[in-house]
Amino acid sequence: MQTNDPNDPFADVDPQACPTAESLEVIGTQWRLNVLHDLVDEGEMRFNELKESTGASSRTLSQSLDALKAAGLVEKRMEEAAPVATYYSLTEKGTALKPVFDELDAWAREYVDPTEYADQ
């Protein structure tokens, strides 16, 4: 949706581009959405906790976390004391997605038939 607002960062973007579509390029893969959702719900989590909660392989999870870090949505914290642990949490930018997840959840509860996904 194009605006005439001079403060709109998308004002000079190709009119065929859509900020929503661009946003989905950043967060819209299955694994990135799962990671973001879990961090929104649980707060800071260890790598292995995220691996277990998302069901992603170590490689897939690592790639997803790297992409989310590069996008400024997730931050990484290392604890050097034995045992060494790596923690991930949302940045301020990532935390700002909480209302988006809340709205998607509300939409899904109203319009998505859960029986379609019962066997997955």
Side-chain angles (χ1 to χ4, degrees), residues 53-109:
S53 69
T54 63
S57 69
S58 294
R59 181 172 185 234
T60 298
L61 180 58
S62 183
Q63 290 172 338
S64 296
L65 287 165
D66 288 346
L68 292 169
K69 278 179 26 192
L73 299 171
V74 170
E75 57 192 3
K76 176 180 176 178
R77 178 177 69 84
M78 300 282 293
E79 200 169 272
E80 300 295 335
V84 175
T86 306
Y87 295 87
Y88 294 89
S89 60
L90 295 174
T91 62
E92 182 179 340
K93 183 177 177 181
T95 301
L97 287 168
K98 183 175 181 350
V100 175
F101 281 102
D102 292 344
E103 287 298 319
L104 281 170
D105 185 60
W107 178 85
R109 289 177 187 281

